[in-house]
């Protein structure tokens, strides 16, 4: 099949490489210009450079709705469009243009976690599995019929970085399987409509989403720390007016009472910070902070940074 590919960052790069390694012909690539957004500077393998290396024409666009771009896609005569991590809305005159429409590759188990940063949100919410979905694009974001899904389990200490590497490795086999089914006609009857009653949609993450609120239970805070693992912007709070990033944490063994955010006691190789809206009852676990990083990039073991107990970690400076 003749394929037009739309994609960005490492997800798009892996998708394009899978297409280039397949028996299908990539006739045009559309990708975004580089961005200064914190999350778009992570996992930023360059789609345009890969396409140019293989002699495939490339168009750079922030939005895909100009007449020149639509004409270029029509002139490419694609049998299918394949998209992965295209960051803006696609018009129907583009996604419905080829005979087989547009196959979108999304890094969640749709219909859950449509939208942005699905792995981070899923880890924060304690999901047991994450994965990748190949579905046919329609007029609603990440809502089209599903052709293939693959998933991996979430372990008790997995970070978002761990899950990124595991799920991005699913892209190439997912793309190959999906295109083979479509090209052979064996996709008939395999498309499954999404159950929209189970759908959830998430926005892009920003600095505000990494701010720690110690009224949350320690279990959720520990997942937030893992979800904001390096190279993502770390979860953070403020200590004596200065921002402090929490690099590594766990849930305390003991239960501790008091006011959320209180730097309370050493436990094992960390320092317990009181957590939970019901912390005053003394029945809540604390967040066992193990490693921290100051804004100048210096990293400390929590027991070395918090030389004395007392004081608070707060959500605001």
């Amino acid at each position: 099949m003749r394929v037009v590919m739309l994609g960005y960052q490492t997800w798009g790069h892996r998708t394009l490489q899978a297409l280039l390694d397949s028996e299908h012909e990539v006739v045009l690539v559309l990708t975004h210009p580089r961005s200064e957004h914190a999350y778009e500077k992570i996992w930023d393998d360059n789609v345009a450079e890969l396409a140019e290396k293989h002699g495939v024409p490339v168009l750079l666009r922030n939005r895909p709705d100009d007449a020149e771009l639509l004409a270029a896609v029509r002139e490419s005569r694609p049998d299918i469009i394949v998209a992965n991590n295209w960051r803006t809305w696609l018009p129907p005159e583009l996604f419905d243009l080829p005979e087989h429409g547009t196959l979108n590759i999304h890094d969640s188990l749709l219909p859950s976690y449509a939208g942005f940063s699905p792995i981070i949100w899923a880890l924060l919410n304690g999901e047991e599995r994450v994965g990748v979905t190949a579905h046919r694009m329609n007029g609603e974001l990440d809502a089209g019929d599903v052709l293939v899904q693959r998933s991996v389990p979430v372990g008790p200490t997995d970070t978002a970085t761990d899950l990124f590497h595991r799920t991005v490795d699913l892209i190439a086999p997912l793309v190959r399987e999906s295109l083979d089914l479509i090209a052979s006609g064996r996709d008939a009857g395999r498309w499954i409509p999404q159950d929209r009653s189970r759908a959830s949609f998430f926005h892009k993450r920003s600095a505000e989403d990494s701010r720690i609120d110690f009224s949350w239970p320690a279990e959720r805070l520990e997942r937030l720390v893992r979800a904001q693992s390096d190279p993502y912007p770390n979860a953070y709070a403020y200590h004596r007016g200065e921002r402090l990033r929490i690099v590594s944490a766990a849930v305390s063994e003991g239960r501790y009472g008091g006011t959320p955010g209180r730097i309370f006691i050493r436990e094992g190789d960390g320092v317990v910070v009181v957590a939970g809206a019901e912390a005053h009852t003394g029945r809540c676990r604390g967040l066992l902070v193990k490693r921290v990083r100051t804004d100048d990039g210096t990293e400390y073991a929590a027991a070395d940074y918090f030389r004395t107990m007392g004081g608070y970690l707060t959500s605001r400076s």
Side-chain angles (χ1 to χ4, degrees):
M1 291 190 295
R2 293 172 62 84
V3 182
V4 169
M5 185 268 176
L6 283 71
Y8 187 50
Q9 296 177 282
T10 299
W11 297 270
H13 191 278
R14 289 289 188 98
T15 302
L16 177 56
Q17 188 63 66
L19 293 168
L20 292 168
D21 291 341
S22 74
E23 62 183 20
H24 307 288
E25 180 184 5
V26 183
V27 293
L28 179 67
V29 167
L30 281 62
T31 189
H32 299 302
R34 286 189 180 274
S35 168
E36 291 304 308
H37 188 285
Y39 283 87
E40 293 184 4
K41 293 168 73 174
I42 303 169
W43 317 127
D44 62 346
D45 292 300
N46 193 285
V47 171
E49 290 176 1
L50 179 61
E52 289 163 356
K53 176 182 175 181
H54 290 267
V56 179
V58 179
L59 292 175
L60 293 177
R61 291 291 191 281
N62 282 314
R63 298 190 65 83
D65 51 3
D66 63 89
E68 178 191 2
L69 185 148
L70 289 170
V73 175
R74 287 192 187 98
E75 290 168 8
S76 298
R77 298 179 290 106
D79 298 302
I80 192 169
I81 295 172
V82 177
N84 192 346
N85 199 36
W86 183 265
R87 310 295 277 179
T88 57
W89 177 79
L90 295 181
E93 56 265 33
L94 179 59
F95 68 70
D96 275 342
L97 189 154
E99 175 188 356
H100 296 291
T102 295
L103 185 76
N104 188 51
I105 313 300
H106 180 69
D107 54 333
S108 83
L109 297 174
L110 294 173
S112 299
Y113 297 96
F116 300 91
S117 304
I119 288 174
I120 293 177
W121 289 112
L123 179 53
L124 176 59
N125 289 328
E127 301 291 351
E128 294 182 354
R129 301 189 73 85
V130 294
V132 181
T133 299
H135 69 102
R136 179 156 181 165
M137 188 175 289
N138 62 17
E140 189 176 351
L141 188 59
D142 297 331
D145 294 354
V146 170
L147 181 59
V148 181
Q149 282 189 328
R150 293 290 178 267
S151 69
V152 293
V154 178
T157 61
D158 280 340
T159 66
T161 307
D162 296 327
L163 297 176
F164 163 80
H165 287 297
R166 264 183 251 153
T167 55
V168 82
D169 284 345
L170 298 174
I171 290 173
L174 186 88
V175 168
R176 286 195 298 267
E177 180 180 357
S178 299
L179 288 193
D180 288 348
L181 287 169
I182 294 168
S184 66
R186 290 182 291 115
D187 62 317
R190 290 177 180 252
W191 297 91
I192 300 173
Q194 293 188 38
D195 179 355
R196 304 309 295 155
S197 68
R198 295 176 47 238
S200 56
F201 180 83
F202 288 81
H203 61 72
K204 289 182 180 180
R205 291 187 69 82
S206 68
E208 184 65 24
D209 302 304
S210 301
R211 187 189 304 273
I212 293 176
D213 179 349
F214 281 98
S215 68
W216 288 9
E219 292 81 2
R220 190 177 182 198
L221 291 176
E222 186 270 342
R223 293 197 302 268
L224 174 62
V225 172
R226 286 191 284 126
Q228 296 294 153
S229 58
D230 292 338
Y232 294 103
N234 300 123
Y236 67 93
Y238 289 88
H239 183 239
R240 297 175 179 170
E242 300 295 327
R243 181 164 59 178
L244 187 66
R245 303 171 196 273
I246 309 301
V247 177
S248 175
V251 177
S252 69
E253 291 290 334
R255 300 177 188 273
Y256 300 95
T259 302
R262 178 76 172 188
I263 303 160
F264 188 23
I265 193 169
R266 289 184 175 86
E267 183 183 278
D269 59 351
V271 172
V272 175
V273 179
V274 177
E278 301 296 317
H280 65 277
T281 66
R283 293 193 294 269
C284 296
R285 307 283 182 185
L287 184 69
L288 182 66
V289 178
K290 295 187 173 185
R291 298 197 67 80
V292 300
R293 185 181 295 142
T294 56
D295 262 354
D296 66 4
T298 305
E299 189 169 315
Y300 301 87
D304 293 333
Y305 183 84
F306 300 110
R307 294 285 186 173
T308 59
M309 298 298 99
Y312 291 85
L313 290 179
T314 60
S315 297
R316 307 283 172 178
S317 61

